[in-house]
Amino acid sequence: MRPAVMPAPARSSRLPRYAAALAAALAGADAKACPLSAARQAPVAASIARSFGFALRPLLGTAVLRTDIAYATRAGMPVRAAGDGRVTAVAPSGRGGSFVWIAQAEAVHLRYGPLAPRLRAGACVTAGDGLGSTLRPPLTLRMWRAEGFADPLRWLAGRRPGPPPTRMQDDTPN
């Protein structure tokens, strides 16, 4: 008698590359075991080069959703934790360096990278703790919630991240 084979769960191409590993890590790691506060700060001392949301592709004229924010950094800049939480994964970025995933309070997960990390999965961090240093520009910060991607700048400003955008916003006055 052959054992029953469970089918592999369907994978959505819209999920982050390491979403399955992140979900597995979060199931075993309790982010509430780390001290959590409402303190939030920018991860680097640099200006924002690209913001979250829809943008037009100049050559094609089509809209693309930017799921992260990019900071105008240079190689070797120190990267700090934006808030308190637990490091749930340190995964290769594909182009050198690593992405660092941190579970925050209120089911918020931040991904920093690419960087040369100084931490391992399971470490507790507080706002301002060093995560590592940038390897090349830009440093990206991506936020994931149960509803999907969210704007990290809203969270850094102390506001609740809204639902993920569903269409391109028109900022022209009526």
Side-chain angles (χ1 to χ4, degrees), residues 31-41 81-86 102-108 110 124-129 155-156 158:
K32 293 181 182 174
C34 293
L36 300 175
S37 73
R40 296 176 185 155
Q41 67 176 42
D84 299 350
R86 177 183 297 278
I102 299 180
Q104 314 288 149
E106 300 172 357
V108 169
L110 296 177
C124 289
V125 294
T126 58
D129 284 352
W155 181 82
L156 286 171

Side-chain angles (χ1 to χ4, degrees), residues 79-120:
V79 179
R80 309 228 173 260
D84 299 350
R86 177 183 297 278
V87 177
T88 56
V90 177
S93 72
R95 289 180 41 211
S98 297
F99 288 122
V100 175
W101 288 86
I102 299 180
Q104 314 288 149
E106 300 172 357
V108 169
H109 308 282
L110 296 177
R111 186 197 77 176
Y112 304 78
L115 51 93
R118 296 188 330 191
L119 302 169
R120 293 184 185 195

Side-chain angles (χ1 to χ4, degrees), residues 22-94:
L22 177 64
L26 292 176
D30 182 13
K32 293 181 182 174
C34 293
L36 300 175
S37 73
R40 296 176 185 155
Q41 67 176 42
V44 290
S47 61
I48 295 175
R50 185 184 71 227
S51 58
F52 177 86
F54 281 99
L56 286 176
R57 290 182 177 163
L59 295 177
L60 300 175
T62 59
V64 61
L65 176 61
R66 305 282 187 196
T67 58
D68 53 18
I69 57 174
Y71 288 93
T73 58
R74 62 185 186 286
M77 290 183 74
V79 179
R80 309 228 173 260
D84 299 350
R86 177 183 297 278
V87 177
T88 56
V90 177
S93 72

Side-chain angles (χ1 to χ4, degrees), residues 143-160:
M143 181 178 206
W144 179 261
R145 300 191 63 206
E147 300 89 25
F149 295 107
D151 187 357
L153 286 180
R154 289 181 56 96
W155 181 82
L156 286 171
R159 297 181 294 174
R160 180 171 170 78

